[in-house]
Amino acid sequence: MFKGVMFDFSGTLLRIESTEEWLGAVLAAAGISLTDEEFAHRVQRLTEYGALPGGSAPRHLPRRLEAMWHERDLSADQHRLAYTALAREAGLPELAQALYERHMTPAAWRPYPDTEPTLRELRRRGFPAVVVSNIGWDLRPVFRAHGLDDLVDAYLLSFELGAQKPDPAIFRAACDRLGLAPADVLMVGDNRIADGGAQDIGCTLHFVDHLPVDQRPCGLAPVLRLLQSS
């Protein structure tokens, strides 16, 4: 019988804005105008190099950045260095820092339509919920800005723990924070490799699709059904 829930962050509870919106916001703030062709080219390059944190993985990753990429979520410095390096590789060295800063703002993130109702219903039923994320910065202000922080009992963030999913250590820490045995905890995420690590310590898994917000109105609905039937 489940007694608590672990949730991934990006692609599970909230989704980062599109690369077009991300770049557009930074250009607007800097007062930079581009032609449609120039803008489309830069979006394509940023996408190719996976420079948007929370977005798609790089399609082209220079060998010298491979180690940095794979360990990017272990510290704040590594995370910033990895993503600003990718933005520079994409041909936007002058905007690399501004692009990185933008992705950490609440305006860059949108909750899925059923995120708040699901978390609120868990709270009503007495199920504690924690967020377990591979990330290089403090996402708590994002949750506060979207009115979700009071519905989360704890945050287990890789850069604070020095361990990143699928390392069992981060999931054990989350279960300890919940005060529950792994067998009593449901892990909800979108990445079968990273989030799948929870299974190694005995948690049950439920996966959602990492889709744009307007294409996944009720992806979390099965979570409540699973808890009810357990």
Side-chain angles (χ1 to χ4, degrees), residues 52-68:
L52 172 60
S56 57
R59 299 172 188 169
H60 178 74
L61 182 63
R63 180 164 296 182
R64 67 181 183 282
L65 299 182
E66 287 180 358
M68 186 186 297

Side-chain angles (χ1 to χ4, degrees), residues 63-114:
R63 180 164 296 182
R64 67 181 183 282
L65 299 182
E66 287 180 358
M68 186 186 297
W69 168 256
H70 292 300
E71 297 180 350
R72 66 194 182 280
D73 295 315
L74 290 175
S75 76
D77 288 342
Q78 286 170 268
H79 195 268
R80 180 181 288 271
L81 285 171
Y83 280 104
T84 54
L86 291 171
R88 289 193 294 271
E89 291 290 330
L92 287 89
E94 72 284 0
L95 293 178
Q97 294 296 336
L99 287 166
Y100 188 82
E101 294 294 333
R102 165 68 189 183
H103 102 276
M104 295 188 291
T105 65
W109 293 89
R110 300 189 186 105
Y112 283 94
D114 57 350

Side-chain angles (χ1 to χ4, degrees), residues 94-160:
E94 72 284 0
L95 293 178
Q97 294 296 336
L99 287 166
Y100 188 82
E101 294 294 333
R102 165 68 189 183
H103 102 276
M104 295 188 291
T105 65
W109 293 89
R110 300 189 186 105
Y112 283 94
D114 57 350
T115 291
E116 188 272 340
T118 298
L119 293 175
R120 192 166 297 283
E121 181 62 14
L122 290 177
R123 180 56 52 92
R124 188 188 72 80
R125 295 187 191 183
F127 288 98
V130 299
V131 172
V132 184
S133 179
N134 281 353
I135 197 165
W137 50 276
D138 186 3
L139 51 73
R140 295 173 182 86
V142 173
F143 276 73
R144 285 196 292 270
H146 288 288
L148 302 172
D149 184 57
D150 289 343
L151 304 176
V152 175
D153 293 281
Y155 299 88
L156 287 298
L157 310 182
S158 62
F159 84 102
E160 293 179 339

Side-chain angles (χ1 to χ4, degrees), residues 17 26 71 219 230:
E17 63 190 344
V26 170
E71 297 180 350
S230 68

